[in-house]
Amino acid sequence: DTAVSQTPKYLVTQMGNDKSIKCEQNLGHDTMYWYKQDSKKFLKIMFSYNNKELIINETVPNRFSPKSPDKAHLNLHINSLELGDSAVYFCASSQGTGPHNEQFFGPGTRLTVL
Amino acid sequence: AQSVTQLDSQVPVFEEAPVELRCNYSSSVSVYLFWYVQYPNQGLQLLLKYLSGSTLVKGINGFEAEFNKSQTSFHLRKPSVHISDTAEYFCAVSETIQGAQKLVFGQGTRLTINP
């Protein structure tokens, strides 16, 4: 069984388009995250949600809008895509919000903006 | 804010040789440290974590790490590597921001195992 899944795995699109990435976890976790991994493999948190509520927004441009319809899903919508948005986006989840928690990562979505 | 430095961007090693991947963190009163592994075209997977207690932490796939408070280090080691250990390895420190967990990752170390 897949613990954290993301769709699509690959996304190629033109500048200026709007796209969405979906994430689902079947671990029963309360907390979900979005990370961005750039071309140099550097990983940085973008958002964190707990019980469907936003708790961390790491100064991400407001073109990025996460949405959590329920605790098992955290989707990422990106408006007006720019070249610099090209990256691998990872979804993750954890049992709670404490600093000791293990985060479980999805397989990633490789976004290429042309 | 916490920070993590992985001192080597790439480490090439021969199969069955020992390996050490270095990680230093910024000092803090309480520190929670993690090592994650990313195999090619996959997501991250937890190798091990240090929360408290024994400074020597054992993880999956024969890896272990030692927490050294005086040197603010958390180096990852394996006594004998296999081809299948070829991957990107990330050290991370966990902090609490606005009541939420935030993982701050190092730059990653690419471990390449040569036959």
Side-chain angles (χ1 to χ4, degrees):
Chain A
D1 277 346
T2 304
V4 183
S5 59
Q6 295 177 229
T7 54
K9 190 168 176 60
Y10 299 97
L11 191 50
V12 181
T13 188
Q14 301 283 337
M15 265 197 314
N17 284 350
D18 304 337
K19 289 293 178 186
S20 291
I21 307 172
K22 294 186 176 181
C23 176
E24 176 181 1
Q25 54 95 3
N26 63 5
L27 298 167
H29 288 167
D30 292 333
T31 311
M32 296 185 73
Y33 312 81
W34 277 109
Y35 287 86
K36 179 180 180 180
Q37 186 176 47
D38 64 22
S39 59
K40 295 184 178 178
K41 299 279 188 177
F42 183 63
L43 263 166
K44 190 163 191 278
I45 190 167
M46 300 172 69
F47 300 103
S48 172
Y49 269 71
N50 186 54
N51 287 322
K52 303 192 299 175
E53 291 194 11
L54 178 68
I55 48 175
I56 291 180
N57 179 342
E58 280 288 294
T59 59
V60 178
N62 57 16
R63 296 184 297 104
F64 290 79
S65 50
K67 283 189 173 52
S68 182
D70 54 59
K71 287 199 301 184
H73 296 85
L74 181 62
N75 303 323
L76 184 65
H77 187 76
I78 316 171
N79 290 325
S80 304
L81 278 155
E82 300 177 357
L83 292 176
D85 297 332
S86 293
V88 181
Y89 292 84
F90 287 99
C91 177
S93 72
S94 65
Q95 180 62 48
T97 57
H100 59 282
N101 281 290
E102 174 184 356
Q103 292 188 16
F104 293 79
F105 285 77
T109 296
R110 183 175 294 275
L111 171 65
T112 304
V113 182
L114 302 174
Chain B
Q2 300 264 25
S3 65
V4 173
T5 302
Q6 290 182 243
L7 297 157
D8 306 296
S9 59
Q10 296 186 58
V11 173
V13 181
F14 286 108
E15 197 173 13
E16 298 184 11
V19 70
E20 178 180 83
L21 305 184
R22 298 180 292 168
C23 172
N24 285 89
Y25 63 93
S26 58
S27 182
S28 178
V29 176
S30 300
V31 62
Y32 303 92
L33 293 159
F34 298 75
W35 274 100
Y36 281 85
V37 59
Q38 184 179 23
Y39 298 106
N41 299 313
Q42 294 187 29
L44 279 73
Q45 179 183 355
L46 181 70
L47 274 177
L48 48 81
K49 61 182 177 181
Y50 172 80
L51 303 180
S52 65
S54 173
T55 57
L56 184 63
V57 181
K58 294 193 182 296
I60 61 170
N61 301 341
F63 283 94
E64 62 181 34
E66 184 147 21
F67 171 65
N68 188 319
K69 189 173 182 178
S70 61
Q71 296 186 5
T72 60
S73 68
F74 190 53
H75 300 333
L76 181 71
R77 301 186 184 101
K78 186 169 181 177
S80 175
V81 295
H82 302 285
I83 292 283
S84 58
D85 292 323
T86 295
E88 194 88 22
Y89 290 79
F90 292 93
C91 182
V93 63
S94 179
E95 58 184 0
T96 301
I97 300 286
Q98 298 166 357
Q101 180 191 32
K102 178 181 171 183
L103 281 179
V104 177
F105 286 92
Q107 303 91 322
T109 297
R110 179 179 294 257
L111 177 62
T112 304
I113 311 301
N114 299 306

